[in-house]
Amino acid sequence: MRILIQNGRVLDPASGRNGSFDILTEDDKIIKVEEKIDAEKAGAGKVIDAGGCFVMPGLIDLHVHLRDPGLTHKETVETGAMAAARGGFTTIVAMPNTKPVTDDKQKVSYVHNKAKMNAPIHVLQAGAVTKGQEGKELADIEGMAEAGAPAISEDGKSVMDSGLYREAMKIAARAGIPVLAHCEDINLVKGGVVNADEHTEAMGYRGISNAVEDIIAARDIMLARETGVHLHLCHCSTKDSVRMVKEAKEEGLFVTAEVCPHHFTLTSEDIVEGDTNFKMNPPLRTKEDVEALRQGLKDDIMDVISTDHAPHAASEKLKGMDAAPFGIVGLETAVPLTVTELVEKGILTPMQMAEKMSYNPAKVIGVDRGSLEAGKEADIVIINPKEEYIIDASCFASKGRNTPFNGWKVRGKVKMTICGGRIVYDDSKK
Ligand SMILES: NC(=O)N[C@@H](CC(=O)O)C(=O)O
Ligand SMILES: [Zn+2]
C-alpha cells in the first residue's frame, strides 16, 4: 500500500527540508520526498491533502506514565498508546513507576510484548535505577538495556544515595543508554504540594521551593561529569535548571534536558484554589521561571518537549490538594499548547518544534527515527497549526481526564498520525 501526502509544509530537521514537498510511503517506509509527486504515476492507493498543514516526523515523547502493570484503572499500554496516537506521537517512552516497579528485563519485555500486540505506535519501556525504586540496591541495568530499555530512570523519585546513583550511571554509560533524571531532594519537600511563593501561601498550601529541584540537578550534573554518562534532565521547571544545563553544555558535558507544556504555559498564579488538576511534580513555578524555560527552549539550551503524561483516576484527584496524587495528562494537549504558546508567539520556529518533539528526543534515546528522509520508517504527523478549537477532556483517548486545560481555546490540531505506514489516527473519522 502506498500513501501520498501532498501540499504540506514538510519540516524535517534531519534533511533541513522546510517547505512544500510531497511524501510517498510504501508499506512501513518513506520511499520518496519531492516537490511534486504525481499520484497516478506513483501508484498511490491513498492521497492525503495536507495543504496548510505542518508535516513533521512522528512525535516522540520521552516521558509518559502508562501505569501498566498494576495501576491499569488509570491507564493501560493500549489506552496510553491510543492517546499518544491522537496527540501526534508515534514513539513514547514509558516510565517504570508501575506496580510492581519495572526493574528487570522480564518486566521490560512484558510492556514491549503487550505494545507489539495491541498498541498502534512504538512503546519503549524505561527501566528503574533501583530495585522496587527503593533506592537501596541497583536494578539489573545491563539486563534491561539488553531487553531494549532505551534508558533508565527512577522517575517519581530521585535516587538520594549519590554513591549508588554514581554506580548506576557508570553501568548506564557502559550499556550506552541515558539516565532520565527526576530531580527532587525528598528531604526538602516537607509535605509541599505546590510551588513555594506568596500566591500559594495566601491559599494556605505548603510549598516546594526551587532548591528541591536545583540541588539534585546540580548533583546529577556533577555525577555526569564524573561518569561520562548521558544525563537527561526530566521536566525542568526552574530558571536555575536552565542555567545549569547551559553551563554543562558549555563545558561539553553530555547533558540534555526537557520541558513540559504545563511548565512553559502556566505559573502558580494560574492555580484555581482547590483544583487538583494544578497539582503536579515539579509544581507550576513563577513567571520568572516560565520565562527562563521559554527562553531556554528558544535558545536550544532545552532540547526536548515531553509531556510527563501522568493519568490519575477522577476519584483520586478529588481527594483535595494535600492528598490527591501529583500529575496531569499531557499526550493530547502537547501539540496545541506548543503551537499556541510557543510557535504562534514566535518563541519557537515550526522547525524547532519538530526538533524538540521528534528529532532531538530520537537522538536522546538513540533510535533511528525523527526523520522524514526516503528509506526511513513512515512515522509521520500532520498538524493544522491554524485550526482553532476547544480542548475537551471528555474526548480524550486516555483514561485520564486530569488536565487544567479543559475548555481552553487553542490552535494546532493533529489531523493525522501515521506510524509504520499505517494511519493510526485520523481526525476526520472521529
Ligand atoms: N509528574 C507527576 O506529577 N507525577 C508522576 C511522577 C513524575 O513524573 O515525577 C506520576 O507518576 O504520577
Ligand atoms: Zn518525574
Side-chain angles (χ1 to χ4, degrees):
M1 162 76 161
R2 289 183 168 196
I3 301 176
L4 178 60
I5 303 166
Q6 287 182 319
N7 309 318
R9 176 173 174 193
V10 168
L11 292 150
D12 179 30
S15 63
R17 275 194 191 93
N18 179 357
S20 183
F21 291 92
D22 295 348
I23 296 179
L24 183 67
T25 73
E26 181 177 59
D27 301 326
D28 61 339
K29 293 279 189 296
I30 293 170
I31 58 167
K32 202 186 263 188
V33 185
E34 278 172 14
E35 278 178 20
K36 278 276 162 272
I37 300 175
D38 184 86
E40 223 164 282
K41 280 190 203 144
K46 185 169 177 69
V47 180
I48 296 156
D49 182 10
C53 292
F54 294 159
V55 180
M56 293 182 180
L59 307 181
I60 299 175
D61 190 349
L62 296 184
H63 200 131
V64 173
H65 296 276
L66 292 179
R67 313 299 192 198
D68 198 345
L71 299 161
T72 50
H73 64 289
K74 298 178 196 261
E75 196 79 288
T76 65
V77 171
E78 294 82 359
T79 57
M82 297 290 280
R86 191 165 175 273
F89 295 92
T90 52
T91 299
I92 57 176
V93 175
M95 286 297 172
N97 61 338
T98 47
K99 214 173 169 178
V101 168
T102 304
D103 59 3
D104 65 33
K105 55 182 167 191
Q106 283 80 18
K107 292 179 192 132
V108 169
S109 297
Y110 159 82
V111 172
H112 287 168
N113 291 336
K114 206 170 179 204
K116 266 190 207 114
M117 305 268 288
N118 304 313
I121 58 144
H122 310 288
V123 177
L124 296 169
Q125 177 63 53
V129 179
T130 70
K131 286 188 183 160
Q133 289 194 307
E134 284 175 359
K136 295 190 184 116
E137 206 184 325
L138 290 184
D140 176 15
I141 296 167
E142 279 146 329
M144 293 189 291
E146 276 163 26
I152 51 166
S153 180
E154 199 84 329
D155 191 58
K157 290 180 179 176
S158 292
V159 178
M160 289 307 297
D161 180 337
S162 306
L164 195 65
Y165 207 30
R166 185 170 62 182
E167 274 317 297
M169 286 183 173
K170 285 182 187 163
I171 299 168
R174 277 203 304 274
I177 56 172
V179 175
L180 314 180
H182 166 113
C183 299
E184 178 185 12
D185 187 329
I186 203 69
N187 301 314
L188 282 178
V189 177
K190 304 281 180 215
V193 291
V194 290
N195 188 49
D197 59 52
E198 66 268 28
H199 298 285
T200 57
E201 207 177 304
M203 289 188 272
Y205 295 135
R206 270 172 293 182
I208 300 168
S209 69
N210 284 25
V212 170
E213 174 170 324
D214 297 338
I215 285 171
I216 301 296
R219 179 200 70 169
D220 289 0
I221 291 169
M222 298 300 113
L223 293 176
R225 180 197 279 147
E226 257 189 53
T227 60
V229 78
H230 175 186
L231 173 71
H232 177 80
L233 298 182
C234 294
H235 44 50
C236 293
S237 73
T238 69
K239 62 180 196 302
D240 285 307
S241 279
V242 180
R243 184 172 58 78
M244 289 187 278
V245 171
K246 179 169 188 273
E247 285 172 10
K249 286 185 169 179
E250 282 165 0
E251 192 189 320
L253 301 180
F254 199 176
V255 174
T256 54
E258 68 189 31
V259 182
C260 304
H262 47 278
H263 289 129
F264 65 63
T265 302
L266 299 171
T267 71
S268 70
E269 291 182 50
D270 295 307
I271 295 174
V272 174
E273 203 166 339
D275 187 343
T276 61
N277 287 325
F278 291 87
K279 178 181 177 181
M280 72 289 285
N281 197 12
L284 300 172
R285 302 285 189 186
T286 64
K287 200 160 176 264
E288 232 186 318
D289 293 302
V290 171
E291 269 162 20
L293 294 172
R294 289 178 176 227
Q295 193 64 39
L297 284 163
K298 184 181 173 71
D299 295 343
D300 292 333
I301 295 163
M302 308 311 268
D303 310 270
V304 168
I305 294 172
S306 71
T307 68
D308 194 5
H309 178 80
H312 293 292
S315 58
E316 298 164 327
K317 275 295 205 183
L318 281 172
K319 287 180 179 165
M321 213 51 135
D322 279 329
F326 288 93
I328 63 167
V329 289
L331 285 167
E332 293 164 88
T333 50
V335 163
L337 291 172
T338 302
V339 169
T340 308
E341 292 296 322
L342 302 181
V343 178
E344 288 271 299
K345 292 183 178 169
I347 294 165
L348 290 190
T349 63
M351 189 62 116
Q352 280 180 303
M353 176 179 169
E355 283 165 12
K356 290 174 204 295
M357 296 189 84
S358 183
Y359 182 72
N360 291 347
K363 281 203 290 192
V364 170
I365 51 169
V367 293
D368 186 22
R369 293 187 192 134
S371 159
L372 291 176
E373 293 195 274
K376 299 292 179 186
E377 190 159 336
D379 290 357
I380 304 166
V381 62
I382 302 173
I383 297 165
N384 184 343
K386 295 291 171 203
E387 188 170 329
E388 196 170 74
Y389 64 104
I390 308 272
I391 293 175
D392 180 358
S394 72
C395 297
F396 285 173
S398 170
K399 283 193 184 185
R401 303 284 150 92
N402 45 313
T403 174
F405 302 111
N406 191 37
W408 272 44
K409 192 193 263 188
V410 286
R411 277 184 184 218
K413 192 142 220 256
V414 175
K415 302 306 287 179
M416 189 175 278
T417 309
I418 297 172
C419 186
R422 287 178 49 234
I423 296 169
V424 292
Y425 175 71
D426 184 345
D427 190 52
S428 68
K429 291 198 182 130
K430 278 171 293 187

